[in-house]
Amino acid sequence: MNLIERVIAISRRRSPWICRLNAGSCNGCDIEITPLLSPRYDAEQLGVELHGTPKHADIVLISGTLTLRSRQAILDIYAQVPNPKAVVALGSCPASGNVFAGSPLVLSESLDSIVPVDVWVPGCPPRPQAILDGVARAAKLLEEGATKSQLESRRGRLS
C-alpha cells in the first residue's frame, strides 16, 4: 500500500460518514441513533457525520424488520453507496424479525441474505454506546480493507 492509499485508508476510519435506513421498524433503533450524535455520546469524536444521502456515505446503518416493500429499497440504497462501504445492522430485527417475525409482510430471511452485513449490533433497541462501537468497528474494517464489499471486489479482480 503506497502513501496515498494509506492516508485514504486512515481517513476512512477517522471520518466515517453514515447514512441510516429504517427498513420497517418500530423506530426504537432510530430513537437511539439521535443521542449517539448528541454531546453525551459525541460520535463526532470519531469523525462520524450523519448524511441524508447514501451517495456520500461510507457506512449504512440499517434498522428494522425486513418487509416485502423494503427489500428493493435496501438493494437500491446499498447500490448507491460508493465503494468501499460497510453495513451495520442495528438491533435484532434485521437478523430475525424479532416480534414481527411470522407476519405476512415480513420476510423470513435475515438482512445478510439481501446485502452483506459487516457488523451486527445486538439489542432491542441497542444502546447508543453499542451503536457507536458498531460504527467504530465498521470504520476500522474500512481502514483495513476487510469489509465484505472490499473482499468481494478483490476476489473479482483476482478471477
Side-chain angles (χ1 to χ4, degrees):
M1 183 181 293
N2 66 33
L3 179 64
I4 300 296
E5 290 171 339
R6 183 72 188 135
V7 168
I8 290 171
I10 291 171
S11 69
R12 285 197 179 104
R13 179 176 52 89
R14 297 218 174 145
S15 63
W17 289 7
I18 60 173
C19 174
R20 66 184 183 92
L21 171 62
N22 182 335
S25 73
C26 67
N27 295 328
C29 295
D30 295 332
I31 290 170
E32 296 297 329
I33 292 172
T34 305
L36 173 73
L37 302 167
S38 73
R40 179 168 185 169
Y41 297 101
D42 195 18
E44 289 183 3
Q45 68 183 326
L46 300 177
V48 174
E49 280 191 37
L50 179 65
H51 284 268
T53 175
K55 294 179 181 179
H56 298 134
D58 301 308
I59 300 170
V60 182
L61 303 177
I62 302 178
S63 64
T65 304
L66 307 173
T67 64
L68 295 172
R69 292 187 68 185
S70 67
R71 187 180 204 287
Q72 190 58 47
I74 292 168
L75 290 170
D76 291 344
I77 289 173
Y78 180 78
Q80 291 178 29
V81 178
N83 283 325
K85 55 190 159 195
V87 175
V88 178
L90 299 179
S92 55
C93 286
S96 66
N98 203 359
V99 297
F100 306 104
S103 179
L105 298 177
V106 173
L107 299 177
S108 61
E109 55 191 330
S110 74
L111 180 61
D112 211 17
S113 65
I114 298 172
V115 295
V117 176
D118 297 295
V119 178
W120 295 90
V121 179
C124 182
R127 302 294 305 145
Q129 302 95 318
I131 298 171
L132 187 59
D133 180 58
V135 170
R137 285 188 289 152
K140 184 75 172 159
L141 289 172
L142 279 169
E143 178 190 18
E144 295 168 352
T147 65
K148 291 183 179 178
S149 70
Q150 290 168 310
L151 296 175
E152 286 175 8
S153 69
R154 253 187 255 134
R155 263 185 268 153
R157 283 191 303 228
L158 294 175
S159 15

